[in-house]
Amino acid sequence: MGFKLCLVWLVSVLASVSSLAQPRAPTDIELKAGYCLGVAKSQIDIVPHGDFPIHVQTQLDKFQAEATDRSNRLKAYLVPKLDVVDFTGIFAANSRAKVDVDLSRNDPEVTACILQCLDKSIAKDRLETCTKTCTSGIERYSRIESCKILNWLPF
């Protein structure tokens, strides 16, 4: 009887150890975090530098600081999950974000519109509203915009 009990215990321990070794599929929040991390990193990399009016440069600096903060929060959320989550889907979401940002950056109509917004004649309080009109109705911009506020993260 003791041998059978020991065998049952050993099988259950091995089953639990093998289930720990296999990473689980990512949740929707983890996938979105992967996408948004790609967005934030891409946004940090593409902030233009140049001879802009002070109010425009201030907005660009603020944008870069906010993207850096989002990137740090998303990393803090994802890094502890490296051992327990299958990151294949998260890497795919991250890659999709980079494609979305690259397509957005290379969209000639949107770029022309945003450059008009950055023109010296656009007042400080109208800059964000102006740039949003350049991208409204385009799905990839909606996905990118959904990463601006991370209130869906647990912390």
Side-chain angles (χ1 to χ4, degrees), residues 21-64:
Q22 301 228 342
R24 64 171 173 74
T27 65
D28 288 343
I29 290 177
E30 291 161 347
L31 289 170
K32 185 168 183 170
Y35 178 84
C36 290
L37 180 59
V39 167
K41 289 168 69 177
S42 295
Q43 289 175 333
I44 291 166
D45 294 341
I46 65 168
V47 172
H49 300 284
D51 191 19
F52 295 108
I54 190 72
H55 71 275
V56 173
Q57 190 60 54
T58 301
Q59 290 286 71
L60 292 172
D61 292 344
K62 179 182 173 192
F63 177 81
Q64 187 168 24

Side-chain angles (χ1 to χ4, degrees), residues 5-24:
L5 184 62
C6 186
L7 186 61
V8 169
W9 176 82
L10 182 61
V11 168
S12 66
V13 167
L14 289 175
S16 66
V17 169
S18 69
S19 69
L20 289 175
Q22 301 228 342
R24 64 171 173 74

Side-chain angles (χ1 to χ4, degrees), residues 57-150:
Q57 190 60 54
T58 301
Q59 290 286 71
L60 292 172
D61 292 344
K62 179 182 173 192
F63 177 81
Q64 187 168 24
E66 290 172 351
T68 300
D69 181 60
R70 285 192 301 274
S71 175
N72 291 337
R73 282 188 65 201
L74 291 159
K75 286 177 195 173
Y77 176 70
L78 287 172
V79 167
K81 299 172 181 292
L82 283 171
D83 292 336
V84 295
V85 175
D86 178 1
F87 264 65
T88 305
I90 294 171
F91 290 140
N94 190 275
S95 296
R96 176 74 246 175
K98 292 175 184 179
V99 168
D100 283 352
V101 172
D102 285 343
L103 286 172
S104 302
R105 192 173 81 209
N106 296 317
D107 185 325
E109 290 178 23
V110 172
T111 300
C113 180
I114 289 174
L115 287 174
Q116 287 178 350
C117 293
L118 294 174
D119 187 290
K120 294 177 184 178
S121 62
I122 300 293
K124 174 184 172 183
D125 59 337
R126 291 184 25 216
L127 184 61
E128 188 173 346
T129 303
C130 180
T131 57
K132 281 185 181 181
T133 62
C134 298
T135 60
S136 66
I138 303 173
E139 187 178 332
R140 72 176 170 270
Y141 291 103
S142 298
R143 284 192 300 270
I144 292 168
E145 187 69 21
S146 75
C147 295
K148 192 172 186 179
I149 299 173
L150 302 178

